[in-house]
Amino acid sequence: MAMKVKYEDRLKQKVIAITTDTLVVGVDIAKNYQWARFVDFRGIEHDRALKFKNSKGGFETILARIREICKKENFAKAVVGMEPTGHYWKAFANWLEKQEGITVVLVNPYATKQAKELDDNSQTKSDKKDALTIAKLVKDGRYFELYLPHDVYAELRGLSTARTGLNKRKSALKNTITAVMDEFFPEYAEVFKCPLSGKASRHILKNCPFPKFILALGEGGVTDEIRKAVRKTVGRKKAVQLVKAAKDSIGVDYGEEPARLKLRLMLEELELLEKQTEELEGQMSAALQETDYAEFLLSIKGIGIVTLATCLGELGDPTRFDDPRQMSRMAGYNLVEDSSGKNKSGTKISKRGRKNLRSVLYQMALTMVATNDEMKQLYHYLKTREKAPLRKMQALVVVSKKILTLIHTLAKKKESYDPEKVFGHVRREQLKAAA
């Protein structure tokens, strides 16, 4: 079992890695042009600042400058640091990572923001100044290693990112459709409790969504419309309810034709997005099977194919972590405390991590506390224990961290889920006493 490394020890190791023969390069990334600054292990600047274009020619220009300084000043290696903001940094980091003698690291943008006033006590922000701040943070060991997945995990990340985008667009469309119906026919939701989930409701929304059109058709006409979508006996009953609701509706009675067209177009777009999501999820399932751990991780009751694929897309290979606490930190689950002197506030999670990873872990935790006996037991214990009981969201965070531990352990050992091994001795005794 790998030894657990404390934060202070990791920082020490990173500082030690920046030796007297290391050239440290700080780069401030932008869309068109980047700035680079060059310092040694003491933070003393070497050579002038360099502005280079975000292109292959620009990349070759900074590489040539790095080689030139290393040769002139007898540096044996170079470490290049940058902020992982936006997406412009990825092309440069990917290209630079392939160059011999170059190590690429990343600096937290928040650290840059906090540190840039130390040199001149000024709030002035410029790309040239930020590049020097980034370089000095790197030489002080305040960076984290670059991880750019080039295998199936890159595929999973791309697919999960695309799926997240589709879900956001679907959610926006559903909200707009609901707003239109609230304006023209607010009583519709009383007839169809989930207006966008059934074939009959969607057909009505496309063809005769408002009181004007429903009353023109009458009960018989509405019944016929419903039966075009579904062949069930509920058609007549729903038609009666719709006609009654249409007669008593308080919705606006102008602009129905353009609103009906708008609804139909939005529903057609929604159906296209749903079809695209289904295709994406099929590819995610196929990609997941290409990993070495799908069989073992899917044995965890409550974890589904899509959520696991999304989680691994955000994490990358789970075995690259020495300890599951590193995974928790990546998700922003590390605890922070705000205290000064005698005043102490409660702890909370930092949220300085991958937002999408926290989101999918939250979904997994909700499912598992409902379907997985061990997680359900842990969740109940955390909320009801005598000493420092947790609130719902706090308990779900603990469950989420436990899920990360399970993923890390099963992937490392290549074992299937065993309920008897989920908890250690101390936790088992706590759960037993609370039962």
Side-chain angles (χ1 to χ4, degrees):
M1 182 178 176
M3 291 183 63
K4 295 179 179 179
V5 183
K6 293 182 178 180
Y7 169 76
E8 293 80 5
D9 294 331
R10 289 199 302 272
L11 179 60
K12 182 179 179 181
Q13 291 171 3
K14 291 176 183 177
V15 172
I16 292 173
I18 307 298
T19 57
T20 56
D21 62 351
T22 303
L23 173 66
V24 179
V25 184
V27 179
D28 186 81
I29 300 291
K31 181 177 181 179
N32 297 315
Y33 288 93
Q34 277 79 254
W35 277 97
R37 306 286 286 269
F38 311 89
V39 303
D40 60 20
F41 78 107
R42 293 170 297 181
I44 297 175
E45 193 164 9
H46 291 251
D47 211 276
R48 65 189 184 280
L50 173 67
K51 184 179 182 181
F52 63 98
K53 196 172 182 180
N54 189 17
S55 65
K56 185 178 180 182
F59 296 171
E60 290 173 343
T61 298
I62 185 175
L63 181 61
R65 175 71 70 85
I66 290 172
R67 302 289 192 214
E68 179 186 334
I69 297 174
C70 286
K71 183 177 180 180
K72 181 181 177 181
E73 304 290 344
N74 293 320
F75 291 116
K77 57 184 179 180
V79 177
V80 181
M82 63 192 76
E83 297 174 330
T85 51
H87 56 273
Y88 302 115
W89 68 275
K90 292 182 180 179
F92 181 45
N94 181 59
W95 183 87
L96 205 57
E97 191 182 27
K98 300 172 185 176
Q99 310 307 315
E100 186 178 353
I102 306 291
T103 301
V104 183
V105 299
L106 302 176
V107 173
N108 192 318
Y110 183 79
T112 305
K113 182 179 179 181
Q114 294 293 100
K116 66 184 176 184
E117 296 182 29
L118 295 176
D119 290 331
D120 54 11
N121 194 32
S122 170
Q123 296 176 333
T124 303
K125 173 177 170 44
S126 71
D127 296 342
K128 188 176 179 181
K129 175 182 175 181
D130 287 353
L132 182 59
T133 303
I134 291 168
K136 290 186 176 182
L137 285 168
V138 172
K139 69 96 177 171
D140 289 335
R142 303 193 181 278
Y143 61 85
F144 54 97
E145 289 76 13
L146 173 71
Y147 175 70
L148 290 175
H150 296 284
D151 49 16
V152 65
Y153 296 100
E155 186 177 347
L156 285 172
R157 180 172 296 183
L159 290 170
S160 63
T161 301
R163 181 176 177 271
T164 299
L166 287 178
N167 284 338
K168 287 181 179 178
R169 288 159 62 189
K170 285 191 294 184
S171 179
L173 270 176
K174 289 178 180 179
N175 289 337
T176 306
I177 291 170
T178 300
V180 171
M181 293 306 295
D182 286 344
E183 180 180 355
F184 287 88
F185 194 4
E187 297 82 7
Y188 186 84
E190 297 175 8
V191 180
F192 290 99
K193 302 300 182 183
C194 300
L196 295 175
S197 62
K199 291 182 180 179
S201 178
R202 287 198 179 192
H203 183 80
I204 293 295
L205 290 175
K206 284 182 182 179
N207 295 281
C208 49
F210 308 137
K212 172 183 175 180
F213 308 114
I214 290 171
L215 294 175
L217 287 172
E219 292 180 6
V222 175
T223 302
D224 292 339
E225 288 295 331
I226 291 175
R227 286 177 178 170
K228 289 178 183 178
V230 291
R231 298 186 179 277
K232 293 183 178 180
T233 57
V234 297
R236 185 71 182 177
K237 180 180 178 181
K238 288 295 181 184
V240 171
Q241 292 175 345
L242 277 173
V243 170
K244 183 179 184 304
K247 289 178 180 178
D248 299 331
S249 179
I250 59 170
V252 299
D253 57 358
Y254 54 86
E256 291 102 326
E257 286 293 348
R260 177 165 66 169
L261 175 60
K262 179 181 178 181
L263 266 181
R264 181 174 61 80
L265 294 176
M266 287 192 295
L267 285 162
E268 289 174 357
E269 184 180 356
L270 179 61
E271 288 168 358
L272 174 61
L273 292 174
E274 289 171 342
K275 184 178 178 181
Q276 291 173 341
T277 302
E278 186 178 347
E279 181 182 351
L280 266 175
E281 290 179 351
Q283 291 190 31
M284 291 173 74
S285 177
L288 181 62
Q289 297 305 320
E290 294 179 24
T291 67
D292 296 328
Y293 319 112
E295 175 188 352
F296 309 109
L297 301 182
L298 287 174
S299 68
I300 304 173
K301 187 177 181 181
I303 287 186
I305 292 175
V306 173
T307 51
L308 178 60
T310 304
C311 185
L312 292 184
E314 294 295 325
L315 284 171
D317 188 340
T319 60
R320 71 189 179 92
F321 297 96
D322 296 323
D323 188 272
R325 288 186 296 182
Q326 293 173 289
M327 299 162 75
S328 293
R329 182 174 286 273
M330 183 180 183
Y333 281 148
N334 51 303
L335 296 177
V336 293
E337 180 183 54
D338 183 18
S339 60
S340 176
K342 295 181 180 180
N343 298 320
K344 280 194 175 185
S345 66
T347 57
K348 60 180 182 179
I349 59 173
S350 69
K351 293 188 179 181
R352 289 187 190 161
R354 299 188 71 88
K355 181 180 179 180
N356 289 342
L357 179 55
R358 286 198 307 276
S359 177
V360 71
L361 285 169
Y362 173 74
Q363 296 170 32
M364 294 166 80
L366 281 178
T367 302
M368 291 184 71
V369 297
T371 61
N372 184 293
D373 292 337
E374 291 71 45
M375 295 302 105
K376 185 186 299 184
Q377 189 179 12
L378 174 61
Y379 178 68
H380 179 73
Y381 164 74
L382 293 170
K383 292 201 304 174
T384 58
R385 63 188 181 186
E386 289 186 12
K387 186 176 180 181
L390 301 182
R391 297 189 296 273
K392 176 184 175 181
M393 290 301 298
Q394 292 174 320
L396 286 173
V397 167
V398 177
V399 173
S400 298
K401 294 172 73 173
K402 184 63 180 178
I403 293 171
L404 288 174
T405 301
L406 287 172
I407 289 174
H408 183 265
T409 303
L410 297 184
K412 282 270 189 181
K413 296 182 177 181
K414 290 194 172 181
E415 292 181 357
S416 294
Y417 181 78
D418 184 350
E420 298 298 323
K421 297 180 180 179
V422 173
F423 302 119
H425 174 72
V426 175
R427 181 67 85 188
R428 282 200 305 269
E429 290 300 316
Q430 289 174 337
L431 296 174
K432 185 178 178 181

